[in-house]
């Protein structure tokens, strides 16, 4: 079983900020300092690798979602944020919070990618992708020469 917490959740009430916090940019500075501290406290060996910070302010609420990069990739972030946005809008409109069924499991996706990589359709396209790769390598070499002030 799991004997560690799966996430840390922090609440910050900044509706009544300390003296001087009403100055322009001060609230943002307080939030940024707290966000930085939350993210810096993440330790891969001890976890948790998901940390949330909820900031209540006079102008609205703000949510920090900090996930270790080993937990989520860029593509998955997009899906996660879309789901959070969908749920938030449903909640805000007084609707039942409901997400669509997942589309494809990672296992199924990787199996399909393996099949495609060995398909005749991909093999027909392979020369195109190889030529494109070669073109980008040549561009990279020219770029390196320009950086080092060499003539191509």
């Amino acid at each position: 079983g799991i004997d560690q917490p799966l996430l840390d959740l922090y609440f910050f009430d900044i509706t009544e900020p300390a003296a001087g916090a009403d100055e322009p940019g001060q609230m943002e500075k307080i939030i940024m300092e707290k966000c930085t501290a939350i993210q810096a406290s993440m330790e891969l060996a001890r976890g948790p690798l998901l940390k949330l910070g909820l900031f209540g302010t006079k102008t609205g609420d703000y949510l920090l979602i900090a996930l270790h990069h080993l937990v989520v990739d860029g593509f998955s972030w997009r899906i996660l944020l879309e789901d959070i946005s969908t749920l938030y809008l449903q909640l805000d409109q007084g609707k039942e919070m409901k997400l669509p069924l997942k589309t494809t499991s990672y296992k199924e996706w990787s199996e399909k990618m393996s099949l495609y990589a060995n398909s005749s359709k991909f093999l027909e396209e392979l020369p195109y992708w190889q030529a494109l790769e070669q073109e980008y390598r040549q561009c990279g070499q020219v770029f390196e020469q320009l950086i080092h002030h060499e003539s191509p």
Side-chain angles (χ1 to χ4, degrees), residues 34-95:
K34 301 277 188 202
C35 288
T36 300
I38 290 170
Q39 290 173 324
S41 71
M42 196 172 294
E43 294 184 43
L44 181 60
R46 292 194 297 171
L49 302 180
L50 168 59
K51 298 190 178 226
L52 305 173
L54 184 58
F55 301 86
T57 72
K58 289 181 180 179
T59 59
D61 296 332
Y62 300 90
L63 176 65
L64 165 72
I65 304 171
L67 277 167
H68 193 280
H69 67 91
L70 293 176
V71 175
V72 67
D73 62 18
F75 184 77
S76 300
W77 252 123
R78 182 184 61 80
I79 294 168
L80 181 61
L81 292 175
E82 284 177 3
D83 286 351
I84 290 170
S85 176
T86 297
L87 292 171
Y88 181 80
L89 289 172
Q90 290 171 350
L91 180 65
D92 190 49
Q93 296 169 357
K95 297 179 179 175

Side-chain angles (χ1 to χ4, degrees), residues 3 24 29 34 42 50 62 74 81 85 108 115 118 120 133 143 145:
D3 55 355
K29 182 180 177 191
K34 301 277 188 202
M42 196 172 294
L50 168 59
Y62 300 90
L81 292 175
S85 176
E108 186 180 349
L115 286 173
N118 295 302
S120 59
E133 177 187 25
F143 182 70
Q145 290 172 349

Side-chain angles (χ1 to χ4, degrees), residues 8 14 29 40 48 56 70 73 76 84 90 92 99 102 113 115 129-131 137 139:
D8 283 342
I14 311 177
K29 182 180 177 191
L70 293 176
D73 62 18
S76 300
I84 290 170
Q90 290 171 350
D92 190 49
L99 291 172
K102 69 178 182 177
M113 289 301 292
L115 286 173
W129 293 111
Q130 289 171 330
R137 281 189 185 177
C139 288

Side-chain angles (χ1 to χ4, degrees), residues 114-125:
S114 180
L115 286 173
Y116 177 71
N118 295 302
S119 70
S120 59
K121 180 176 179 168
F122 178 75
L123 294 175
E124 288 172 15
E125 295 175 354

